[in-house]
Amino acid sequence: MKRLIIKNGIVADPLSRTEVKRDICIEDGIIRGAGNGTGDFKKSRSADIKIINADGLYVLPGLIDMHVHLREPGYEYKETIKSGMEAAVSGGFTSICCMPNTNPPNDSASVNNYIINKSKEAGLINLFPIGAISRGLKGENLSDIGELKESGAVAISDDGNPVSDTSLLARAMLYAKTFGLPVISHSEDLSLRGKGVMNEGFTSQALGVAGIPSIAEEIAIERDIGLAKYYGAKLHIAHVSTAGSVDVIRRAKKEGVDVTCETCPHYFTLTEESLLNYNTNAKINPPLRTGRDILAVKEGLVDRTIDVIASDHAPHSEDEKDTTLDNAPFGIIGLQTLLPLTFKLYAEKRLFLHDIARLVSQNPARILNLSGRGGIKEGYAGDITIVDVRKKWKFSENKIKSLSKNSPFIGMDFTGIAVYVIVSGNVISAN
Amino acid sequence: MSLKKDLISIKDLTKSDIYSFIETAKEFKKISLKDIKKVPTLRGKTVINLFYEPSTRTRSSFEIAQKRLSADSLNIAISQSSVTKGETLKDTILNLESMKPDAFVIRHHESGAPYFISKITKASVINAGDGINEHPTQTLLDIMTVMEEKKDISSLKVAIIGDISHSRVARSDIFGLSMLGADIYIYGPYSLLPVTGFKDIPNVRIAKGFKEAVKNADVIIMLRIQKERAGYHFIPSIEEYRNFFKLTPELLSLASKGVMVLHPGPVNRDVEISGSIINRDKTFIFKQVENGIAVRMACLYMLLGVQKSLEPDI
Ligand SMILES: [Zn+2]
């Protein structure tokens, strides 16, 4: 028997909403009870015992990033499954979910199997693929959703290519419901986005570039929630970025609609002003918004309108980003900055650590039906993230594990970092 | 007997109407087993078969039924006929009406067409399938086929699997079988199930999975999947349908011992049902075809009989 004991850490448990000092024992990859104090697990004489001293550290259920773009197959120069996983380890994640916009897109069992096999070869952390809603992400016909589910997809999404055809999205919700798969919507009205490259507002005016109005997101969220409500389907809204969106979702939840949503750290950290100087490393979709939106997103996190924090990690090469704002692709990397940016909300006393465990572990597991994950509980998978919330460090370019370095946070000072990730009882040093 | 002159919807029938159709059909089935399969019952009666949709099975079934009853038939397949010249349905019927037919057998791609026709003709109207609405003679033959094997329909669990939303067979079967007290479980992709369910039919429920639907089922009715459904977002592909909504021997083994498998035809072999099941004695697909003729003879006989009794002085 293989046994791992995590001693003296403070366990931030989203299930009991507590932060209590106790030991945790993982046997053959499964959590087997948690004691208090030392010595509880000495009785067995099994040969292979490993002990981690987590004194002064916090112990969280393994973090799950449910919105990641790995670029394999097809764009391995931006990111491979392996390099993405290495960045995820450094970011404190034991599981990540990869979006289907690869080349070829993940719309079939064969691509799904390829991705899963590659992740097993890398052998670091868990990878749960998200399959395409439409064949080839073209928004025309449904992909083989049952086949995707059977081969391991945990949700479907056409992230990046919002489904404009309302009937296609309606049928996708219904068809996916047959298989118990949630639909993840990148909610955006493409006709309103037009050629916009950043938030429509004073900064886009100042820079003289085309804007993306916040209403393009809000109107699409209204539509998607309307569909989910009408059809009784399970909907998750990706990367919420505006105050209006938070309002719409808050209202829908009050009405009892089966909707969940996520935001990303940049939407509660940066504003559109990050794009001054035509900074392409701050060009993302949805775009960085305003101070008012940041406040609303933080409120949504506190009052639980927002269920999840995900990175929307979107690597692009230096050559692709080293161009004009108009020409650069949307997206920034985020696996290694999610946790320290989220710790800022802990420092601001808006979130407890067990809230962070809920937002980045428990809720993603619940939304994606990852049973036996998202908590520290007898019988759950032995996936644990151990963090040091006091460690001060600078996010410099040489710390980036991704193949791409497109981050607006380079040079920023952070407090808090992942120390270990433990996947099925196997300890990996994170930083 | 509460029968009207028309057979348009199963919902217009009472339990005893259904049973008397079946009883009459049983008598006519005996004729089909004789050497000379013809009786003079409807001699001198004219039946117009008006088919706005291609149909082989239903149409030939009606034609044979008419021949065996010695009725005069006129077959009009509309695709090559007046519709292409712009004649309205109303004008077509009024024209044919002047030929004094005794019955119209109508198949139409628009729901409600038989009802519309029944309002402008004195002849009997028999619905041979209208749009996504109903196919009442199919239901009568399904019930007849089940009753030949099972004594009490009210004690049966019936699973109806597939494209419920677009299936007139499913709708008529649900109305008929639930009226007779069967417990009905429907299953298919949610994109092909009625979102609102069926009003006022308490013994119909949507199964949570294929297994729940067929477990201990006494009758399994598999529906035909139209290939076009994949093109209109309802399902991803026929391959998906085959992989997840086909009746396989494993699923069938969950059903009750004496389970009957029905299909309105034509079967997409290995899409809706595994070929190996069709080849076994659990399927009653060919029995359905046989009973179809008897049921249609009964319908023609009874409806034209009703018409006669309405005009006692002739
Ligand atoms: Zn997106």
Side-chain angles (χ1 to χ4, degrees):
Chain A
M1 187 197 290
K2 236 179 127 179
R3 173 177 285 186
L4 174 72
I5 298 172
I6 303 161
K7 275 189 189 300
N8 305 324
I10 300 170
V11 176
D13 179 22
L15 300 174
S16 60
R17 293 202 217 163
T18 54
E19 284 157 23
V20 179
K21 187 164 185 172
R22 59 189 165 110
D23 297 349
I24 290 167
C25 175
I26 299 170
E27 279 179 6
D28 291 335
I30 305 293
I31 295 173
R32 292 288 174 220
N36 39 9
T38 52
D40 285 45
F41 308 111
K42 273 186 185 162
K43 283 173 195 163
S44 163
R45 284 191 197 162
S46 70
D48 190 359
I49 298 184
K50 191 175 158 108
I51 294 175
I52 287 185
N53 186 2
D55 200 11
L57 304 177
Y58 279 87
V59 179
L60 278 63
L63 300 182
I64 302 167
D65 189 344
M66 67 179 287
H67 193 145
V68 173
H69 297 270
L70 300 178
R71 302 304 194 185
E72 191 176 358
Y75 309 101
E76 288 83 353
Y77 65 94
K78 300 184 195 221
E79 193 85 286
T80 63
I81 287 166
K82 186 160 181 288
S83 67
M85 281 186 159
E86 282 162 358
V89 165
S90 179
F93 296 98
T94 57
S95 301
I96 54 176
C97 304
C98 56
M99 284 293 175
N101 58 340
T102 47
N103 186 18
N106 186 8
D107 63 357
S108 66
S110 61
V111 180
N112 217 19
N113 289 332
Y114 174 87
I115 291 170
I116 290 170
N117 287 336
K118 278 278 173 180
S119 80
K120 287 194 175 136
E121 274 172 36
L124 284 169
I125 58 172
N126 308 302
L127 180 87
F128 299 104
I130 293 164
I133 291 174
S134 69
R135 211 173 286 282
L137 298 172
K138 289 192 178 124
E140 289 163 3
N141 293 294
L142 293 178
S143 61
D144 288 337
I145 291 164
E147 186 186 294
L148 283 165
K149 153 95 183 190
E150 228 183 24
S151 56
V154 294
I156 52 168
S157 180
D158 271 7
D159 185 55
N161 299 26
V163 180
S164 294
D165 183 333
T166 309
S167 83
L168 180 69
L169 187 60
R171 266 60 171 274
M173 284 182 181
L174 285 167
Y175 191 77
K177 184 174 155 184
T178 318
F179 297 91
L181 272 185
V183 173
I184 300 176
S185 166
H186 168 131
S187 300
E188 183 183 18
D189 187 308
L190 281 180
S191 59
L192 275 173
R193 184 219 289 177
K195 292 196 162 110
V197 295
M198 66 175 294
N199 186 48
E200 182 169 85
F202 294 131
T203 311
S204 67
Q205 282 293 339
L207 291 172
V209 297
I212 304 173
S214 52
I215 191 75
E217 176 176 319
E218 291 148 11
I219 225 167
I221 291 179
E222 293 258 23
R223 178 195 72 163
D224 297 350
I225 286 179
L227 287 174
K229 182 180 168 188
Y230 183 83
Y231 290 112
K234 199 173 165 182
L235 172 69
H236 177 79
I237 296 172
H239 41 54
V240 167
S241 75
T242 79
S245 299
V246 177
D247 274 346
V248 170
I249 294 162
R250 185 179 288 124
R251 253 186 289 130
K253 285 187 162 190
K254 274 203 187 113
E255 283 178 37
V257 183
D258 196 358
V259 63
T260 55
C261 72
E262 79 200 18
T263 191
C264 312
H266 34 273
Y267 300 121
F268 56 75
T269 310
L270 300 179
T271 68
E272 57 186 7
E273 291 178 13
S274 297
L275 284 96
L276 289 171
N277 302 327
Y278 301 90
N279 178 9
T280 57
N281 278 341
K283 179 180 175 182
I284 37 181
N285 188 23
L288 297 173
R289 307 283 186 180
T290 67
R292 195 177 77 84
D293 298 298
I294 287 183
L295 279 179
V297 167
K298 285 181 179 179
E299 263 168 46
L301 284 165
V302 170
D303 75 6
R304 302 188 172 214
T305 299
I306 298 174
D307 305 272
V308 170
I309 300 174
S311 71
D312 195 7
H313 179 82
H316 292 294
S317 74
E318 194 176 344
D319 281 347
E320 288 165 322
K321 280 286 194 182
D322 197 12
T323 177
T324 60
L325 205 47
D326 276 346
N327 198 37
F330 289 107
I332 60 173
I333 56 170
L335 278 165
Q336 288 174 261
T337 47
L338 183 145
L339 199 52
L341 291 168
T342 303
F343 283 150
K344 286 183 189 288
L345 302 181
Y346 167 72
E348 290 171 14
K349 299 204 188 314
R350 288 179 200 267
L351 298 177
F352 290 105
L353 285 172
H354 64 75
D355 288 321
I356 295 174
R358 169 173 51 82
L359 290 157
V360 195
S361 181
Q362 183 191 20
N363 282 346
R366 178 174 56 87
I367 291 162
L368 301 172
N369 305 307
L370 308 178
S371 63
R373 295 186 204 277
I376 297 178
K377 199 180 169 188
E378 173 87 25
Y380 270 42
D383 291 359
I384 299 284
T385 299
I386 300 179
V387 300
D388 180 346
V389 295
R390 284 183 300 244
K391 165 96 174 175
K392 293 194 186 303
W393 61 293
K394 188 187 277 290
F395 184 60
S396 54
E397 196 173 314
N398 61 15
K399 292 209 169 65
I400 295 176
K401 306 282 185 197
S402 290
L403 295 184
S404 298
K405 320 286 180 198
N406 51 315
S407 170
F409 299 110
I410 292 171
M412 200 177 262
D413 288 315
F414 288 141
T415 305
I417 199 163
V419 183
Y420 297 108
V421 298
I422 298 164
V423 183
S424 296
N426 295 316
V427 182
I428 311 171
S429 184
N431 285 290
Chain B
M1 195 70 190
S2 66
L3 269 186
K4 302 188 215 160
K5 74 176 171 80
D6 307 314
L7 176 58
I8 290 171
S9 165
I10 289 288
K11 287 185 287 191
D12 295 337
L13 305 180
T14 63
K15 252 191 207 185
S16 71
D17 292 340
I18 292 177
Y19 286 130
S20 45
F21 272 121
I22 308 285
E23 286 310 309
T24 312
K26 277 188 198 161
E27 293 304 311
F28 281 118
K29 191 172 176 179
K30 289 176 191 159
I31 294 169
S32 302
L33 299 174
K34 284 182 188 166
D35 248 7
I36 296 167
K37 303 176 177 59
K38 200 158 180 150
V39 289
T41 317
L42 293 185
R43 183 174 293 159
K45 297 282 184 185
T46 304
V47 181
I48 298 182
N49 297 312
L50 193 54
F51 277 66
Y52 281 79
E53 245 185 26
S55 158
T56 311
R57 188 170 310 220
T58 305
R59 186 174 153 177
S60 43
S61 180
F62 268 108
E63 279 179 33
I64 292 171
Q66 288 150 18
K67 288 201 168 74
R68 288 190 183 163
L69 292 169
S70 306
D72 296 316
S73 299
L74 176 64
N75 298 317
I76 304 179
I78 296 295
S79 43
Q80 318 98 298
S81 174
S82 38
V83 142
T84 42
K85 295 175 200 145
E87 190 176 58
T88 64
L89 177 59
K90 185 174 173 180
D91 285 338
T92 304
I93 299 302
L94 290 175
N95 268 299
L96 294 169
E97 180 75 356
S98 51
M99 299 173 195
K100 302 278 181 283
D102 297 283
F104 284 105
V105 172
I106 170 112
R107 156 76 56 104
H108 202 286
H109 49 273
E110 289 164 13
S111 301
Y115 175 73
F116 174 77
I117 291 169
S118 74
K119 289 190 299 181
I120 51 177
T121 176
K122 289 196 187 74
S124 286
V125 175
I126 299 176
N127 181 358
D130 64 326
I132 57 169
N133 182 31
E134 284 216 51
H135 195 353
T137 58
Q138 176 73 41
T139 291
L140 293 173
L141 74 87
D142 284 351
I143 292 172
M144 179 178 179
T145 309
V146 172
M147 283 178 66
E148 284 177 344
E149 300 294 317
K150 315 273 183 192
K151 297 293 151 258
D152 179 15
I153 295 223
S154 72
S155 67
L156 300 182
K157 173 175 172 177
V158 179
I160 305 179
I161 311 292
D163 182 0
I164 311 282
S165 285
H166 303 95
S167 172
R168 51 198 178 207
V169 174
R171 286 167 51 81
S172 288
D173 278 356
I174 287 168
F175 299 143
L177 289 164
S178 65
M179 200 189 303
L180 302 183
D183 270 327
I184 299 170
Y185 286 70
I186 60 179
Y187 178 69
Y190 273 102
S191 48
L192 293 174
L193 296 181
V195 171
T196 49
F198 290 92
K199 201 182 164 212
D200 301 331
I201 309 182
N203 46 347
V204 180
R205 70 203 85 188
I206 294 176
K208 287 193 188 68
F210 210 148
K211 286 180 182 169
E212 185 195 302
V214 297
K215 190 158 189 232
N216 300 323
D218 302 291
V219 179
I220 301 174
I221 300 173
M222 299 302 298
L223 303 171
R224 183 175 161 75
I225 181 75
Q226 233 100 47
K227 296 217 161 62
E228 313 81 91
R229 298 289 173 240
Y232 294 104
H233 313 334
F234 287 102
I235 54 169
S237 60
I238 291 299
E239 290 66 42
E240 270 275 300
Y241 196 88
R242 186 200 311 273
N243 288 340
F244 297 102
F245 304 100
K246 177 182 65 183
L247 184 65
T248 60
E250 298 75 56
L251 284 162
L252 189 59
S253 69
L254 302 172
S256 85
K257 264 214 174 95
V259 65
M260 303 171 71
V261 178
L262 307 185
H263 189 298
V267 179
N268 290 309
R269 196 177 265 261
D270 286 314
V271 173
E272 295 125 12
I273 307 183
S274 290
S276 65
I277 297 176
I278 300 176
N279 302 336
R280 262 187 285 160
D281 56 358
K282 293 227 183 298
T283 47
F284 287 75
I285 297 168
F286 305 111
K287 195 58 132 311
Q288 285 173 281
V289 177
E290 188 186 342
N291 288 341
I293 297 168
V295 154
R296 281 154 187 143
M297 287 171 82
C299 291
L300 287 161
Y301 168 75
M302 288 170 70
L303 295 175
L304 294 180
V306 170
Q307 195 181 26
K308 195 173 206 172
S309 68
L310 287 173
E311 303 159 66
D313 46 23
I314 294 173

